[in-house]
Amino acid sequence: MDTTKIFGPKTNFTDRFVPDHSKLEELVKELKNKGLKIVLTQGVYDLLHEGHALYLEAAKSHGDILVVGVDSDELTKMRKGPNRPIVPQGERVKMLIHLRHVDLVTIREANEDMGALIRLVKPDVLIASTSTEDFKKDLSSGEYNSYCGKIVVLPPQATTTTSARIRNLTIEGAEKLASEVGKLTEEFLNKIREG
């Protein structure tokens, strides 16, 4: 298997996006055989922002190859609610591959448990975030210790989150709608009074 395109200056989407988990497992084994330290992290990465980029940079600093598991649209809906993701998985994958700290990207499907990718990759370092509520219980149980050389939990890398941004947009939209409804109601009442 040719791994050189993973390291090239171009995006090389077809070499760096590995949706086939059996191919990913083979690729990771080959990279480990070359003496490279594998780092794994996973998440939604919806509405990519500075915090995501800084988090991925910090994750990459723990090894040589950063593998990112991206939650599928179906899994994201299950974890974050029916109105998520905002950005479809295909676009989220492409955006991540454009980030220089990300080497390989794969998809985490809804029919897989939270640890499936961890057991597959068996990373030298697993990176998790303190903000990932539904994963904290699994991490604290020690369930993944035998599959990872080391587990590192990072704090949020920015003051914003995707959920906070969505909340702000929703509030702004609701305020504008309320203002318009108020104007229309006032106009309607004035017509009734005049009429």
Side-chain angles (χ1 to χ4, degrees), residues 68 93 145 157 161 167 179:
V68 178
V93 165
N145 293 351
Q157 301 294 302
T161 65
R167 207 169 19 259
S179 174

Side-chain angles (χ1 to χ4, degrees), residues 112-160:
E112 299 171 336
D113 69 75
M114 292 292 278
L117 191 57
I118 297 167
R119 290 188 297 275
L120 177 92
V121 172
K122 296 178 183 73
D124 296 297
V125 182
L126 172 65
I127 304 291
S129 171
T130 56
S131 64
T132 309
E133 291 298 325
D134 57 354
F135 196 55
K136 284 180 184 177
K137 177 183 60 131
D138 291 346
L139 279 180
S140 63
S141 73
E143 178 182 345
Y144 304 121
N145 293 351
S146 62
Y147 300 102
C148 309
K150 180 179 175 184
I151 298 174
V152 176
V153 181
L154 297 175
Q157 301 294 302
T159 57
T160 190

Side-chain angles (χ1 to χ4, degrees), residues 165-186:
R165 286 195 171 175
I166 292 169
R167 207 169 19 259
N168 287 342
L169 289 171
T170 303
I171 290 168
E172 183 179 314
E175 288 171 345
K176 285 182 181 178
L177 178 61
S179 174
E180 290 301 314
V181 168
K183 288 177 190 174
L184 290 172
T185 303
E186 188 63 34

Side-chain angles (χ1 to χ4, degrees), residues 16 57 60 66 95-103:
R16 294 178 56 217
E57 181 179 13
K60 174 72 180 252
L66 178 59
M95 290 304 298
L96 285 167
I97 285 177
H98 282 284
L99 296 178
R100 72 180 185 179
H101 302 295
V102 176
D103 299 299

Side-chain angles (χ1 to χ4, degrees), residues 73-90:
D73 289 348
E74 184 182 358
L75 179 56
T76 301
K77 283 183 189 326
M78 288 170 56
R79 291 183 64 213
K80 301 288 185 177
N83 296 324
R84 299 281 301 277
I86 302 299
V87 179
Q89 73 187 37

